[in-house]
Amino acid sequence: MKNRARVLEFNTVMKCKNAEKLFEFFSSHSKFFCLLPSEFDAKKLQYPSLLSVMDFSKQNVHILCPGAKMELLHFLDDPGVLLTNFDAMLEGNNAAFLQKCLSGLLIQEETLPTKCSVLIPGMEHIQNKDRCEAWMIRLCFMYMCILELHANTDQTAVTMSREVMDVFTSTLKDKQVAHLFSEGDLFIRCKGHAGSSMANNNLQEFPVEQFDNVYMFMTRLDFQNNKIKSLPPDLFTKFKALEYLNLSKNNFTEVPKGIGNLTVLTEIDLSSNRLKTLPSDFENVSHSLTSLNISNNNMEGLPGCIFKLVKLEELYAENIGVVEGLDQLRNLMELKVLNLGLNLIEKIPEELGDLQLEYLDLSGVPWVPATTYQSVIAFMKQLQFNNVTMNIDIAEQAKMFKKADVDESSTLTPDEVQVLTNDRLFPMYPRFGKGSFAFEKSGGIPPVLFNLKALKKLVLRYHGITMVPDEIKVFTNLNEIDLSYNLKMVTLSAELAALPLKQLHLKECTALNTPPKEIVSRGFLAVIGYLKRLRLGAVQCKRTKLMMVGLGGAGKTSLVQSLMSQRYRAYMDHDEPITDGIDIKTWNIPIQETSDQLMFSVWDFAGQTVYYNTHQFFLSNRAVYLLLWNVRQGYEHAGLDFWLSSIACHAPKAPILVVGTHIDKVEKFRLPEVNLKARYPQIVGFHYVSSYTGIGVDDLRQTIISNTLQQKYMGEKIPEAWLTLEKRLIAYHEEKKVDILPFKQLETISATCGIFDRGELIQAVQFLHDLGAVQFFDTDFLRDMIVIYPQWIVDVMACLVTVHQGAVKDGKMLLKDISKVWEDYPSELHPWLLRLTEEFDLTCSLPDEEASIVPCLLPDGEPEYDWPHADPRKNIRESMTVYKFQYLPAGLFNRAQVRLHQYSKGALLWKTGSFMKKNNHIALMIQNDEQEVIVRAQGFRPENFLFIVHEMIETLIRESYSGVHYDFFIPCMDCQSRNVKDPSMMSYQKVKRALELNVPFLQCEKFFHMLSLQEIKDAMPSDKMDEVDSHLRNSVRELIDLTTEKTVSVFFVYSTKDVPDLKDAEKCVHPGTILADMRSQDDLKVSYTDQPESSDMEALTLSIKANDVIVFGLSDNFANDDVCKKLLLYTKDVLQRPILLLLLGQTKNWQKGDLNMPLGDEVFVDMTKIDRYQHKIKELFVAIKKKDESKKKVK
Ligand SMILES: Nc1nc2c(ncn2[C@@H]2O[C@H](COP(=O)(O)OP(=O)(O)OP(=O)(O)O)[C@@H](O)[C@H]2O)c(=O)[nH]1
Ligand SMILES: [Mg+2]
């Protein structure tokens, strides 16, 4: 290696002060060259003379590969090109070119590949690479001399060459300059370097051959995400210069020995392969390796050699299986990053706390995501994603699936998966928070972790951590903490807010109550804001709403009195007055053995059905429900289903107690408890009481208390300031007798409680709203006011929908009567009140009248209206959709009526139906006694109407009736096209399932028509589908039906812009009339589009191609639209389809434009004069026939 010293002498170029200028020159060349004699025997090379390199005809220019690092500049595997071939260049600037050629030799330590003979013939026998290098250096001297000789011809080159020589002889030190060279692009690379990064390439084998002569120059290899099955055995003995090696996401099972040869290897990624272990000599790389990734390999534990890699800074060993012996990690004192997530770890040793970790992932064994699994295979696939769960044998996995599949549908629903998680996968493995990891004081987090004070990121997913303790504050550098999938986690310490956190992950921490889930759902900033507020003072909040519901006279008011009175017995000396609206009381109960109090807001709802619409708005999850029924009257008449389904819709997570009353009056009564409980799983108990004698009341009271205390939100920590605000508002109400406040005033009051931030104030009032303490609606108009006495809003509603005769007649309220409705309220509030009722869909203002509709007060009887027979010949079709509900929640239908009102002028409304008109269409929406809503539409395009209704219903359900179960049905398309009177109806749920299972066809149930799934899908309303496109597809389908007949198929393209306004109806021909008349012809089959501007071009082209004649409705509107114009010319010139032009509208200005010329030879039928219509339409029919025939002739 002595010769290396000489090489280094060359390298002084890189180390000198003047080097900058020199490199400036060099780096302007993105390619590096080198000269070598073209023919040379070993002897001449050994003692090169000046003469031997003088002759340019015998010099080869070689290109050099800069490699990944400039220090390893090396020859390509190529004999080079004779210098004389560069004549032109030589003539111009010999010296500069030579300099360029020398650059290669000047800036590297090693240049020669193993087989020098490739470069210089005659060197075959020279095996000793070191000697070759020595010769190269001598050669270089010679070339330098030549350079000096040639320098005279060029001034720049002279100075440069002088400098080069200066540099050459100086001995200044400065490394780190090679990077200057790496900036130029267009490097020419050797085969090895060109292929050193082959990620995602489907490689089956490690491509050894491409590194044949250059492996000693390779510093980085990236072969991640290929399919390499095995690694070459000499991998580590050859690539000695490797610093970075990425072999992740391949399929190999073994790593070869010899890694100790890689003296500069710092980073190796072996993740996602099939390794069971690492070779025994892997520890030999301990002098250099700083980063190791063996994640996602099913290992037989953590390989022992890892604990010897003392330089290791990053160790990724996620999802490798069972992990033991972690105490040995203490050897790795440099370790900063440690990922042992998703493994089965039984013990976290104390030694872990000695490390200086900045990143730690100790996530537990994951469970499968709670989604639908269509088959046991899909389920197993998911299970095998993790190496630990993979070790459950197949039979056991299948058993697991079967057991979880309670309804034996061979499909696991998300709910079933959830149960499986809780019952099997959670308990099966060790997790923080249970068993030997109980650590109750720290909520399950192993206390040793709190020694890791340098942590910046901590990941603890999939555990049973119950809380984040205050100790978390030791992590003063923590930027990110991931606690997702800790199903049992109830509270987060407010101390989290004091950390420099940037991210806090709480996915699926369903038990969390501090912060409340409403806050969590608003995201990181809301959570931190909340915790910050808690740090300033927090109170445990044990409050909820107790909702008393049931028919009028069921005994709600009496039971409230009974529950609240110490004797558990209502005063029965006088009859209870009928409750009007909702009565709200506060009920405080001391909790036994603690100093705490349980606080209920008791909401006593009026039982009269007229209120049912209003009651819906007040049902929420943060409540306990008592559903009362009078046992004397029997459960059948108690409206239990009504209330149960309402609660299931609006508050699907709240507990319900079903309470029979009046048991002092009868001895025998009956209730199908099992059946009810099965249908409404949220029922937590059945009770029987008498408010008169007090029997059963005590028992009920205890059940209410114990059930309430079990609610997740019980005991959550609430910022003290929020409750202070509540108290101030109550005091304000009592003092000033004010029920409703402008938001501005609220801000003033909240400031006195220390809440200054508007965002936090909104959070606070939303929380108080959930508690039932205030009513706040965060919508544009309504958020200006806040109701601080909830009773008030109930009264407002009650005024409108009161049992007593009011100002609303037949469901209609005139605007001038609004002051009658709310006579007790200040008139300036009236608009706000009206808006409030609109927000709840309780009213709807009429567009053309100074009045509003109150649907729940609409007349019961059906008015008269005209519903003609559909006549497809006159282009009047009928279609329908049927919605079947398991239980149709009260108010949904009426709210739908209100929302649809805007689509209809002069609609007829009654309690169970609406008759609507729009754009020459009529529609009917009816609610029947079988929990169904039937929508029929008739006209030109009835589907459009149906889609509008559908979207509205879906939106309404999504917004306000999320717990409702329903399906909808559309008629079989074949039944419809055959005009079957009572068509077979197709269920959406069925279609959805067919889609999931990739079934190509479905059969209609009545006539067994075969329908392709695609066409059914097209006919089904769906928010994702472009309405227009689906219609086009329908048109195409219609056409395909027709191809067998000998009729002429016509595609009519016109723009809806040419549909005349009402005022012009007498002056202009309606394209719809033309369409209808064409369709009335037996020998024409007409499909159409009226929105060519916005249709999908592909579908349009399809239709145009599929038809015999294309009729364009040409008008000024049409010609002014670029898309339409292009479509017309495209049809004529490119598709070369027979076209006919129908002139629409009243003017023909387009003839002055650029369309007139290209259309000069086409047939026009002028429809611009309405009085000539009868004549012209016949002309059109003849023209179509002619066109069709001439087309056939051409064929
Ligand atoms: N004997 C007997 N009478 C009862 C019982 N509970 C209620 N009552 C009587 O039944 C009548 C109706 O009771 P309320 O408590 O007013 O019924 P409600 O459910 O509040 O009725 P609305 O407010 O109209 O919805 C009253 O006359 C009560 O005194 C009971 O358990 N036993
Ligand atoms: Mg009452």
Side-chain angles (χ1 to χ4, degrees):
M1 277 313 225
K2 259 187 241 156
N3 293 321
R4 179 63 61 87
R6 302 299 301 276
V7 180
L8 288 175
E9 214 172 322
F10 279 90
N11 281 332
T12 49
V13 171
M14 292 189 288
K15 298 168 188 164
C16 77
K17 256 185 186 165
N18 303 348
E20 226 167 85
K21 207 164 183 192
L22 184 62
F23 290 128
E24 206 178 293
F25 171 75
F26 283 152
S27 59
S28 63
H29 310 293
S30 52
K31 291 168 193 152
F32 298 93
F33 302 92
C34 185
L35 286 182
L36 280 182
S38 57
E39 285 164 21
F40 239 92
D41 57 42
K43 217 169 168 191
K44 273 190 193 159
L45 191 61
Q46 214 163 346
Y47 304 105
S49 62
L50 197 53
L51 270 177
S52 64
V53 294
M54 276 284 277
D55 185 354
F56 281 168
S57 66
K58 288 189 179 135
Q59 310 298 318
N60 268 358
V61 179
H62 293 260
I63 301 169
L64 297 170
C65 167
K69 293 171 88 183
M70 202 56 62
E71 290 91 325
L72 290 182
L73 195 77
H74 55 271
F75 285 92
L76 299 187
D77 232 350
D78 186 279
V81 184
L82 262 187
L83 183 59
T84 41
N85 291 346
F86 290 85
D87 272 354
M89 256 191 261
L90 278 169
E91 269 169 35
N93 189 343
N94 290 350
F97 182 70
L98 282 174
Q99 251 177 1
K100 224 189 262 182
C101 293
L102 279 166
S103 63
L105 282 179
L106 286 172
I107 56 168
Q108 82 268 0
E109 287 183 13
E110 284 184 57
T111 50
L112 296 182
T114 36
K115 287 181 195 155
C116 298
S117 56
V118 182
L119 303 174
I120 312 173
M123 285 176 71
E124 285 87 355
H125 309 295
I126 303 165
Q127 297 295 332
N128 188 328
K129 222 185 119 210
D130 281 350
R131 273 169 74 191
C132 280
E133 253 169 33
W135 301 335
M136 295 297 293
I137 290 161
R138 282 179 208 159
L139 261 179
C140 197
F141 271 109
M142 296 303 142
Y143 285 118
M144 283 292 181
C145 296
I146 296 171
L147 187 67
E148 184 68 354
L149 284 173
H150 282 267
N152 310 331
T153 53
D154 184 293
Q155 265 319 103
T156 1
V158 175
T159 41
M160 281 308 284
S161 71
R162 289 254 160 77
E163 276 172 19
V164 169
M165 296 311 273
D166 288 350
V167 164
F168 198 62
T169 48
S170 73
T171 52
L172 286 165
K173 287 172 202 163
D174 176 22
K175 292 183 180 175
Q176 303 302 326
V177 279
H179 72 273
L180 280 174
F181 285 84
S182 61
E183 257 141 36
D185 45 358
L186 289 170
F187 288 133
I188 293 182
R189 290 179 180 271
C190 69
K191 216 162 52 168
H193 275 104
S196 64
S197 178
M198 301 261 279
N200 322 317
N201 251 309
N202 243 330
L203 289 179
Q204 307 281 331
E205 271 171 53
F206 190 96
V208 218
E209 63 301 332
Q210 78 191 24
F211 301 105
D212 255 359
N213 290 316
V214 290
Y215 45 75
M216 62 290 200
F217 299 119
M218 306 307 298
T219 54
R220 295 175 68 85
L221 286 182
D222 183 353
F223 289 113
Q224 63 174 304
N225 203 10
N226 282 292
K227 297 195 169 132
I228 301 171
K229 281 209 197 71
S230 65
L231 299 176
D234 53 358
L235 178 71
F236 295 141
T237 43
K238 277 186 153 176
F239 292 84
K240 290 182 184 168
L242 276 187
E243 293 168 13
Y244 170 89
L245 176 60
N246 192 338
L247 295 167
S248 66
K249 298 190 197 132
N250 279 291
N251 292 330
F252 54 85
T253 51
E254 263 179 357
V255 174
K257 286 196 171 190
I259 198 160
N261 289 306
L262 311 191
T263 51
V264 285
L265 185 71
T266 55
E267 193 175 340
I268 183 164
D269 189 342
L270 300 167
S271 62
S272 302
N273 278 292
R274 298 180 183 176
L275 295 177
K276 290 233 166 316
T277 184
L278 292 176
S280 54
D281 69 341
F282 203 84
E283 63 190 59
N284 293 342
V285 77
S286 63
H287 45 266
S288 63
L289 198 67
T290 58
S291 174
L292 171 65
N293 191 342
I294 53 165
S295 293
N296 303 315
N297 284 292
N298 194 355
M299 294 242 169
E300 300 155 339
L302 209 53
C305 55
I306 287 178
F307 303 121
K308 304 236 166 83
L309 301 172
V310 291
K311 289 257 169 74
L312 221 49
E313 291 168 16
E314 300 175 355
L315 173 59
Y316 301 92
E318 182 181 82
N319 188 23
I320 61 164
V322 181
V323 169
E324 286 169 347
L326 290 180
D327 50 330
Q328 295 179 72
L329 279 173
R330 67 166 168 245
N331 299 335
L332 311 185
M333 288 314 288
E334 305 288 324
L335 208 59
K336 299 251 175 330
V337 173
L338 177 61
N339 183 348
L340 291 171
L342 315 187
N343 292 318
L344 199 159
I345 301 175
E346 303 259 11
K347 193 169 183 298
I348 303 291
E350 288 301 315
E351 285 83 351
L352 196 71
D354 300 339
L355 298 174
Q356 296 301 312
L357 295 181
E358 291 177 4
Y359 172 111
L360 176 64
D361 186 340
L362 280 178
S363 295
V365 178
W367 39 82
V368 291
T371 57
T372 306
Y373 296 94
Q374 293 284 357
S375 66
V376 70
I377 305 285
F379 171 71
M380 285 179 179
K381 249 191 190 160
Q382 189 59 53
L383 209 54
Q384 300 201 351
F385 210 66
N386 181 266
N387 281 317
V388 175
T389 42
M390 194 164 140
N391 291 336
I392 311 172
D393 70 51
I394 300 274
E396 185 58 33
Q397 291 182 15
K399 246 194 201 158
M400 212 182 246
F401 182 93
K402 210 168 161 202
K403 199 167 167 217
D405 184 18
V406 183
D407 58 1
E408 294 180 19
S409 60
S410 297
T411 299
L412 287 193
T413 62
D415 286 345
E416 287 169 341
V417 179
Q418 197 75 57
V419 175
L420 172 81
T421 297
N422 289 332
D423 293 358
R424 285 299 299 278
L425 296 173
F426 184 86
M428 206 159 161
Y429 300 101
R431 297 187 194 280
F432 298 164
K434 72 181 189 71
S436 59
F437 286 136
F439 306 121
E440 268 167 38
K441 267 196 187 153
S442 52
I445 300 177
V448 54
L449 298 193
F450 295 108
N451 293 338
L452 300 168
K453 299 196 169 60
L455 274 185
K456 289 183 179 155
K457 179 170 175 180
L458 177 61
V459 184
L460 298 173
R461 294 171 153 222
Y462 295 106
H463 281 294
I465 295 170
T466 52
M467 63 150 175
V468 172
D470 289 348
E471 268 170 289
I472 198 83
K473 64 179 171 221
V474 300
F475 297 128
T476 49
N477 298 306
L478 203 64
N479 292 143
E480 186 174 351
I481 182 164
D482 188 343
L483 297 162
S484 297
Y485 306 100
N486 276 286
L487 303 177
K488 317 240 156 171
M489 194 160 65
V490 182
T491 55
L492 298 186
S493 162
E495 295 301 326
L496 275 170
L499 304 182
L501 280 184
K502 294 196 178 72
Q503 292 188 65
L504 169 60
H505 307 274
L506 297 169
K507 211 172 155 190
E508 305 217 2
C509 294
T510 41
L512 208 57
N513 72 17
T514 306
K517 67 173 193 306
E518 294 85 356
I519 302 284
V520 176
S521 69
R522 278 176 222 143
F524 174 73
L525 287 179
V527 171
I528 291 297
Y530 186 86
L531 295 175
K532 272 202 178 123
R533 173 55 73 185
L534 284 189
R535 282 189 89 219
L536 298 176
V539 252
Q540 259 209 343
C541 179
K542 297 201 167 155
R543 289 171 53 168
T544 191
K545 287 185 281 192
L546 184 65
M547 309 291 238
M548 311 293 293
V549 298
L551 280 193
K556 299 177 290 294
T557 310
S558 309
L559 184 59
V560 171
Q561 286 180 1
S562 192
L563 282 169
M564 288 173 66
S565 78
Q566 283 309 303
R567 301 178 295 127
Y568 309 134
R569 190 178 153 177
Y571 301 98
M572 289 291 152
D573 34 2
H574 57 82
D575 272 0
E576 275 304 318
I578 293 175
T579 311
D580 215 6
I582 304 169
D583 205 27
I584 307 171
K585 289 192 172 69
T586 304
W587 179 26
N588 289 316
I589 310 161
I591 303 171
Q592 276 168 9
E593 290 157 22
T594 64
S595 55
D596 283 359
Q597 270 206 339
L598 190 56
M599 186 178 145
F600 288 105
S601 295
V602 185
W603 291 53
D604 179 7
F605 287 78
Q608 280 73 30
T609 47
V610 72
Y611 286 120
Y612 286 3
N613 271 298
T614 55
H615 288 354
Q616 312 287 323
F617 316 128
F618 301 103
L619 306 185
S620 70
N621 277 320
R622 202 182 257 266
V624 175
Y625 291 82
L626 291 198
L627 170 54
L628 273 65
W629 64 288
N630 184 338
V631 297
R632 241 171 29 158
Q633 280 159 5
Y635 75 90
E636 297 92 338
H637 313 289
L640 295 183
D641 262 315
F642 166 81
W643 279 109
L644 287 169
S645 60
S646 284
I647 301 167
C649 263
H650 299 284
K653 289 184 185 136
I656 306 173
L657 288 163
V658 179
V659 183
T661 60
H662 291 76
I663 59 164
D664 52 299
K665 294 278 183 188
V666 268
E667 282 184 356
K668 275 197 180 150
F669 44 84
R670 196 174 73 76
L671 181 69
E673 294 186 1
V674 177
N675 173 290
L676 276 181
K677 167 93 184 132
R679 286 194 294 135
Y680 302 100
Q682 42 182 152
I683 297 178
V684 293
F686 295 91
H687 282 257
Y688 301 93
V689 300
S690 162
S691 306
Y692 185 64
T693 63
I695 304 174
V697 176
D698 196 15
D699 213 25
L700 174 62
R701 189 177 192 261
Q702 289 313 321
T703 315
I704 296 172
I705 294 171
S706 65
N707 262 301
T708 307
L709 288 175
Q710 278 168 30
Q711 297 309 304
K712 280 177 190 158
Y713 50 80
M714 272 295 135
E716 64 194 8
K717 283 204 181 116
I718 305 299
E720 212 172 294
W722 294 15
L723 295 184
T724 314
L725 174 65
E726 185 196 13
K727 280 189 199 124
R728 299 259 157 96
L729 291 177
I730 293 172
Y732 196 86
H733 161 74
E734 277 167 5
E735 225 175 84
K736 305 252 157 87
K737 302 282 170 246
V738 166
D739 303 312
I740 176 165
L741 282 184
F743 198 85
K744 283 238 152 32
Q745 197 155 357
L746 175 72
E747 281 177 314
T748 319
I749 297 174
S750 71
T752 68
C753 313
I755 304 173
F756 302 102
D757 173 55
R758 188 184 159 94
E760 195 198 347
L761 178 56
I762 300 256
Q763 274 175 24
V765 290
Q766 266 166 349
F767 177 76
L768 294 178
H769 175 105
D770 289 336
L771 281 185
V774 301
Q775 295 281 317
F776 175 69
F777 308 95
D778 200 4
T779 69
D780 280 347
F781 192 82
L782 296 176
R783 72 166 70 92
D784 287 348
M785 299 282 219
I786 174 169
V787 179
I788 58 172
Y789 184 58
Q791 183 84 45
W792 181 86
I793 208 159
V794 175
D795 295 338
V796 165
M797 301 283 192
C799 283
L800 184 68
V801 202
T802 184
V803 265
H804 316 293
Q805 197 57 28
V808 183
K809 285 193 191 73
D810 277 349
K812 197 168 177 182
M813 172 174 73
L814 299 179
L815 217 54
K816 65 179 172 53
D817 290 340
I818 186 174
S819 48
K820 266 193 229 157
V821 176
W822 288 302
E823 56 192 357
D824 299 338
Y825 300 84
S827 59
E828 63 271 19
L829 256 185
H830 292 172
W832 192 86
L833 294 177
L834 190 64
R835 270 302 252 285
L836 182 72
T837 57
E838 275 172 24
E839 190 64 33
F840 286 158
D841 289 329
L842 204 60
T843 66
C844 166
S845 58
L846 291 173
D848 38 12
E849 261 180 275
E850 299 268 281
S852 288
I853 292 285
V854 188
C856 58
L857 298 180
L858 283 169
D860 288 320
E862 189 169 333
E864 279 193 14
Y865 54 87
D866 190 26
W867 190 262
H869 275 294
D871 186 350
R873 298 215 151 260
K874 288 195 182 141
N875 203 26
I876 302 223
R877 294 187 301 120
E878 185 171 323
S879 190
M880 68 182 207
T881 316
V882 176
Y883 297 83
K884 276 192 208 234
F885 293 82
Q886 236 173 53
Y887 196 90
L888 179 57
L892 194 155
F893 183 78
N894 288 154
R895 292 173 83 174
Q897 279 182 301
V898 169
R899 291 206 182 178
L900 276 178
H901 198 276
Q902 51 165 314
Y903 287 105
S904 170
K905 276 192 175 171
L908 298 172
L909 297 181
W910 62 104
K911 211 162 231 155
T912 55
S914 297
F915 171 77
M916 297 161 277
K917 282 187 193 166
K918 182 184 161 75
N919 290 354
N920 302 326
H921 284 72
I922 52 173
L924 200 57
M925 182 169 79
I926 305 271
Q927 170 188 10
N928 67 17
D929 295 339
E930 279 136 54
Q931 317 293 337
E932 288 177 353
V933 172
I934 299 162
V935 191
R936 283 173 190 280
Q938 210 181 77
F940 201 45
R941 241 192 213 184
E943 293 82 10
N944 273 3
F945 215 121
L946 294 178
F947 284 2
I948 290 171
V949 177
H950 181 77
E951 220 175 283
M952 185 280 306
I953 290 184
E954 296 246 286
T955 315
L956 189 57
I957 289 174
R958 211 169 36 239
E959 283 172 10
S960 319
Y961 298 88
S962 55
V964 77
H965 295 282
Y966 73 103
D967 190 5
F968 66 88
F969 297 74
I970 61 161
C972 156
M973 296 108 234
D974 274 15
C975 288
Q976 258 195 327
S977 63
R978 280 160 222 232
N979 249 335
V980 173
K981 260 227 169 75
D982 191 10
S984 177
M985 300 299 283
M986 323 259 313
S987 142
Y988 171 72
Q989 291 298 344
K990 204 166 146 188
V991 173
K992 209 170 90 182
R993 184 140 174 80
L995 278 172
E996 277 167 7
L997 299 177
N998 279 328
V999 179
F1001 289 98
L1002 277 186
Q1003 250 177 324
C1004 97
E1005 269 159 26
K1006 274 193 185 149
F1007 304 99
F1008 308 105
H1009 297 135
M1010 288 293 272
L1011 300 164
S1012 84
L1013 211 63
Q1014 187 56 45
E1015 64 182 319
I1016 303 174
K1017 224 177 100 189
D1018 288 349
M1020 284 276 173
S1022 145
D1023 355 77
K1024 280 177 224 120
M1025 207 167 4
D1026 184 337
E1027 230 178 77
V1028 184
D1029 287 355
S1030 71
H1031 277 287
L1032 265 168
R1033 261 182 248 131
N1034 281 343
S1035 320
V1036 175
R1037 180 181 160 273
E1038 278 173 33
L1039 279 171
I1040 292 162
D1041 288 347
L1042 303 170
T1043 42
T1044 46
E1045 300 172 35
K1046 25 179 207 326
T1047 47
V1048 182
S1049 64
V1050 177
F1051 189 55
F1052 184 17
V1053 184
Y1054 68 92
S1055 167
T1056 31
K1057 287 181 201 145
D1058 287 316
V1059 174
D1061 290 341
L1062 271 180
K1063 64 176 170 46
D1064 290 329
E1066 306 295 334
K1067 293 186 218 151
C1068 252
V1069 176
H1070 191 301
T1073 321
I1074 305 174
L1075 181 65
D1077 282 340
M1078 283 200 281
R1079 287 193 157 178
S1080 70
Q1081 297 291 301
D1082 279 341
D1083 49 2
L1084 294 184
K1085 288 288 171 187
V1086 188
S1087 51
Y1088 72 100
T1089 172
D1090 59 1
Q1091 281 166 344
E1093 307 92 325
S1094 54
S1095 302
D1096 170 30
M1097 262 309 186
E1098 205 181 304
L1100 269 181
T1101 309
L1102 256 173
S1103 304
I1104 288 169
K1105 279 187 175 169
N1107 280 280
D1108 296 324
V1109 179
I1110 322 301
V1111 178
F1112 281 97
L1114 185 53
S1115 66
D1116 288 346
N1117 286 328
F1118 196 93
N1120 283 337
D1121 187 281
D1122 255 324
V1123 177
C1124 294
K1125 205 159 78 182
K1126 272 190 196 133
L1127 181 72
L1128 174 54
L1129 295 175
Y1130 177 72
T1131 310
K1132 178 177 149 65
D1133 298 327
V1134 181
L1135 299 176
Q1136 302 203 335
R1137 301 296 302 160
I1139 61 172
L1140 259 179
L1141 301 167
L1142 264 184
L1143 304 191
L1144 297 176
Q1146 296 185 81
T1147 48
K1148 290 187 232 171
N1149 293 329
W1150 63 269
Q1151 289 182 334
K1152 296 171 201 146
D1154 54 0
L1155 259 187
N1156 203 22
M1157 265 293 284
L1159 297 178
D1161 54 350
E1162 291 298 344
V1163 181
F1164 290 80
V1165 179
D1166 193 341
M1167 292 276 189
T1168 53
K1169 303 224 163 48
I1170 195 159
D1171 45 350
R1172 304 265 297 141
Y1173 179 74
Q1174 287 312 328
H1175 177 72
K1176 286 288 171 186
I1177 190 82
K1178 281 182 196 131
E1179 195 181 300
L1180 174 67
F1181 298 151
V1182 177
I1184 290 174
K1185 293 277 156 53
K1186 269 197 188 156
K1187 261 282 164 197
D1188 184 48
E1189 271 160 33
S1190 66
K1191 180 195 79 180
K1192 279 173 190 145
K1193 268 182 219 150
V1194 171
K1195 270 185 182 166

